[in-house]
Coordinates of all heavy atoms in Angstrom, one line a residue:
F156 N 46.8 -59.6 28.2 CA 45.5 -59.9 29.0 C 44.6 -60.5 28.0 O 43.9 -60.0 27.3 CB 45.0 -58.6 29.5 CG 45.9 -57.7 30.3 CD1 46.2 -56.4 29.8 CD2 46.5 -58.1 31.4 CE1 46.9 -55.6 30.5 CE2 47.3 -57.4 32.1 CZ 47.5 -56.1 31.7
G157 N 44.7 -61.9 28.0 CA 43.9 -62.7 27.0 C 44.3 -62.4 25.6 O 45.5 -62.5 25.4
R158 N 43.5 -62.0 24.8 CA 43.8 -61.6 23.4 C 44.3 -60.2 23.3 O 44.7 -59.8 22.2 CB 42.7 -62.0 22.4 CG 41.5 -61.1 22.4 CD 40.6 -61.3 21.3 NE 41.4 -61.1 20.0 CZ 41.3 -59.9 19.5 NH1 40.7 -58.9 20.1 NH2 41.9 -59.6 18.4
F235 N 40.3 -78.2 13.2 CA 39.5 -77.8 14.5 C 39.4 -79.0 15.3 O 39.5 -78.8 16.6 CB 38.1 -77.2 14.1 CG 37.3 -76.8 15.3 CD1 37.6 -75.7 15.9 CD2 36.3 -77.7 15.7 CE1 36.8 -75.3 17.0 CE2 35.6 -77.4 16.8 CZ 35.8 -76.2 17.5
I238 N 42.6 -79.9 17.1 CA 42.9 -78.9 18.1 C 42.1 -79.1 19.4 O 42.6 -79.2 20.5 CB 42.7 -77.5 17.6 CG1 43.9 -77.2 16.6 CG2 42.7 -76.5 18.7 CD1 45.2 -77.0 17.2
L239 N 40.7 -79.2 19.2 CA 39.8 -79.4 20.3 C 40.0 -80.7 21.1 O 39.9 -80.7 22.3 CB 38.3 -79.3 19.8 CG 37.3 -79.2 21.0 CD1 37.6 -78.0 21.8 CD2 35.9 -79.0 20.4
I242 N 43.0 -80.1 23.2 CA 42.5 -79.2 24.3 C 42.0 -80.1 25.4 O 42.4 -79.9 26.6 CB 41.7 -78.1 23.9 CG1 42.3 -77.1 23.0 CG2 41.1 -77.3 25.2 CD1 41.4 -76.1 22.4
Y246 N 43.1 -81.4 29.9 CA 42.2 -81.3 31.1 C 41.7 -82.7 31.5 O 40.8 -82.8 32.3 CB 41.0 -80.4 30.9 CG 41.4 -79.0 30.6 CD1 41.3 -78.5 29.3 CD2 41.6 -78.0 31.7 CE1 41.6 -77.1 29.1 CE2 41.9 -76.7 31.4 CZ 41.9 -76.3 30.2 OH 42.2 -74.9 29.9
K255 N 32.5 -73.5 26.5 CA 31.6 -72.4 26.2 C 31.8 -71.8 24.7 O 32.9 -71.9 24.2 CB 32.0 -71.2 27.1 CG 31.7 -71.3 28.5 CD 32.2 -70.2 29.4 CE 31.4 -69.0 29.2 NZ 31.7 -67.9 30.1
F257 N 30.8 -68.5 22.5 CA 30.2 -67.2 22.7 C 30.8 -66.1 21.7 O 31.9 -66.3 21.3 CB 30.4 -66.6 24.1 CG 31.9 -66.6 24.5 CD1 32.7 -65.4 24.4 CD2 32.6 -67.7 25.0 CE1 33.9 -65.4 24.7 CE2 34.0 -67.6 25.3 CZ 34.7 -66.4 25.2
R259 N 32.4 -62.5 20.8 CA 33.3 -61.6 21.4 C 32.9 -60.2 20.9 O 33.2 -59.8 19.8 CB 34.8 -61.9 20.8 CG 35.3 -63.2 21.3 CD 36.7 -63.4 21.1 NE 37.4 -62.6 22.2 CZ 37.9 -63.2 23.3 NH1 37.7 -64.5 23.6 NH2 38.5 -62.4 24.2
I273 N 34.0 -61.9 15.6 CA 34.7 -63.1 16.2 C 33.8 -63.8 17.2 O 33.1 -63.2 17.9 CB 36.0 -62.7 17.0 CG1 37.0 -61.9 16.0 CG2 36.7 -63.9 17.5 CD1 38.1 -61.4 16.7
F274 N 33.8 -65.2 17.2 CA 33.3 -65.9 18.3 C 34.4 -66.8 18.8 O 35.4 -67.1 18.1 CB 32.0 -66.6 17.9 CG 32.2 -67.9 17.1 CD1 32.3 -69.2 17.7 CD2 32.3 -67.8 15.7 CE1 32.6 -70.3 16.9 CE2 32.5 -69.0 15.0 CZ 32.7 -70.2 15.6
S275 N 34.2 -67.3 20.0 CA 35.2 -68.1 20.7 C 34.6 -69.5 21.2 O 33.5 -69.5 21.6 CB 35.8 -67.4 21.8 OG 36.5 -66.2 21.4
V276 N 35.5 -70.4 21.2 CA 35.3 -71.8 21.8 C 36.3 -71.7 22.9 O 37.5 -71.9 22.7 CB 35.4 -72.9 20.9 CG1 35.2 -74.2 21.6 CG2 34.5 -72.8 19.6
E277 N 35.7 -71.9 24.2 CA 36.6 -71.8 25.4 C 36.4 -73.0 26.2 O 35.3 -73.4 26.5 CB 36.1 -70.5 26.2 CG 36.9 -70.4 27.6 CD 36.3 -69.3 28.4 OE1 36.5 -68.1 28.1 OE2 35.6 -69.7 29.4
V278 N 37.5 -73.7 26.6 CA 37.6 -74.7 27.4 C 38.3 -74.5 28.7 O 39.4 -73.9 28.7 CB 38.2 -76.0 26.7 CG1 38.2 -77.3 27.5 CG2 37.5 -76.2 25.3
S279 N 37.7 -74.9 29.8 CA 38.3 -74.6 31.0 C 38.0 -75.7 32.2 O 37.0 -76.4 32.0 CB 37.9 -73.3 31.7 OG 36.4 -73.3 31.9
I288 N 49.9 -78.8 27.2 CA 49.7 -77.5 26.8 C 50.8 -77.1 25.7 O 50.6 -76.4 24.6 CB 49.6 -76.4 27.8 CG1 48.2 -76.5 28.5 CG2 49.9 -75.0 27.3 CD1 47.0 -75.8 27.6
L291 N 50.2 -78.7 22.6 CA 49.0 -78.0 21.9 C 49.5 -76.8 21.2 O 49.1 -76.6 20.1 CB 47.9 -77.7 22.9 CG 46.8 -76.9 22.4 CD1 46.0 -77.6 21.4 CD2 45.8 -76.5 23.6
A295 N 49.0 -76.1 17.4 CA 48.2 -74.8 16.9 C 49.0 -73.9 16.0 O 48.5 -73.3 15.1 CB 47.8 -74.1 18.2
F300 N 44.4 -71.1 13.3 CA 43.6 -70.6 14.4 C 44.3 -69.7 15.4 O 45.5 -69.9 15.6 CB 43.0 -71.9 15.2 CG 42.1 -72.7 14.5 CD1 42.5 -74.0 14.2 CD2 40.9 -72.3 14.0 CE1 41.6 -74.8 13.5 CE2 40.0 -73.1 13.4 CZ 40.4 -74.3 13.0
Y301 N 43.7 -68.6 15.7 CA 44.3 -67.7 16.7 C 43.8 -68.2 18.1 O 42.6 -68.2 18.3 CB 43.8 -66.3 16.4 CG 44.5 -65.3 17.4 CD1 45.7 -64.8 17.1 CD2 43.8 -64.9 18.5 CE1 46.4 -63.9 18.0 CE2 44.4 -64.0 19.4 CZ 45.7 -63.6 19.1 OH 46.2 -62.7 20.1
M302 N 44.7 -68.5 19.0 CA 44.4 -69.0 20.3 C 45.0 -68.3 21.4 O 46.1 -67.7 21.3 CB 44.8 -70.6 20.3 CG 44.1 -71.4 19.3 SD 44.6 -73.1 19.3 CE 44.2 -73.6 20.9
D303 N 44.2 -68.4 22.6 CA 44.7 -67.8 23.8 C 45.0 -69.0 24.8 O 44.2 -69.8 24.9 CB 43.7 -66.9 24.6 CG 43.5 -65.6 23.7 OD1 44.4 -65.1 23.0 OD2 42.4 -65.1 23.7
F304 N 46.3 -68.9 25.4 CA 46.5 -70.0 26.3 C 46.7 -69.5 27.7 O 47.8 -68.7 28.0 CB 47.9 -70.7 25.9 CG 47.8 -71.3 24.5 CD1 48.2 -70.6 23.4 CD2 47.4 -72.6 24.4 CE1 48.2 -71.2 22.1 CE2 47.3 -73.2 23.2 CZ 47.7 -72.5 22.0
Q305 N 45.8 -69.7 28.5 CA 45.9 -69.3 29.9 C 45.4 -70.5 30.8 O 45.9 -71.6 30.4 CB 44.9 -68.0 30.2 CG 45.2 -66.9 29.2 CD 44.1 -65.9 29.4 OE1 43.9 -65.3 30.5 NE2 43.4 -65.6 28.3
K306 N 44.8 -70.2 31.9 CA 44.2 -71.4 32.6 C 43.0 -72.0 31.7 O 42.8 -73.1 31.8 CB 43.7 -71.0 34.0 CG 43.3 -72.2 34.8 CD 42.9 -71.8 36.2 CE 42.5 -73.1 37.1 NZ 42.3 -72.8 38.4
K307 N 42.4 -71.0 31.0 CA 41.4 -71.4 30.0 C 42.1 -71.5 28.6 O 43.1 -70.7 28.4 CB 40.3 -70.5 30.0 CG 39.5 -70.2 31.3 CD 38.5 -69.2 31.2 CE 37.8 -69.0 32.4 NZ 36.8 -67.8 32.4
V308 N 41.7 -72.4 27.8 CA 42.2 -72.3 26.4 C 41.1 -71.8 25.5 O 40.0 -72.4 25.5 CB 42.7 -73.7 26.0 CG1 43.3 -73.7 24.6 CG2 43.8 -74.2 27.0
I309 N 41.5 -70.9 24.6 CA 40.3 -70.3 23.8 C 40.8 -70.3 22.4 O 41.8 -70.0 22.0 CB 40.1 -68.8 24.3 CG1 39.8 -68.8 25.7 CG2 39.0 -68.2 23.4 CD1 39.7 -67.3 26.3
I310 N 39.9 -70.8 21.5 CA 40.0 -70.8 20.0 C 39.1 -69.6 19.6 O 37.9 -69.6 19.8 CB 39.6 -72.0 19.4 CG1 40.2 -73.2 20.0 CG2 40.0 -72.0 17.8 CD1 39.6 -74.6 19.5
N311 N 39.7 -68.6 19.0 CA 39.0 -67.5 18.4 C 38.8 -67.6 16.9 O 39.8 -67.9 16.2 CB 39.9 -66.2 18.6 CG 40.0 -65.9 20.1 OD1 39.0 -65.8 20.9 ND2 41.2 -65.7 20.6
I312 N 37.6 -67.6 16.4 CA 37.3 -67.9 15.1 C 36.5 -66.8 14.4 O 35.5 -66.3 14.9 CB 36.4 -69.2 15.1 CG1 37.0 -70.4 15.9 CG2 36.0 -69.7 13.7 CD1 36.2 -71.6 16.2

Side-chain angles (χ1 to χ4, degrees):
F156 310 118
R158 69 169 298 271
F235 177 82
I238 289 289
L239 189 55
I242 292 173
Y246 294 101
K255 296 176 66 176
F257 59 94
R259 302 194 71 94
I273 304 172
F274 74 94
S275 293
V276 178
E277 175 189 286
V278 181
S279 62
I288 281 290
L291 173 61
F300 295 114
Y301 182 86
M302 299 178 62
D303 294 332
F304 299 93
Q305 305 173 61
K306 188 172 182 181
K307 302 175 181 179
V308 178
I309 304 172
I310 310 173
N311 300 302
I312 304 170

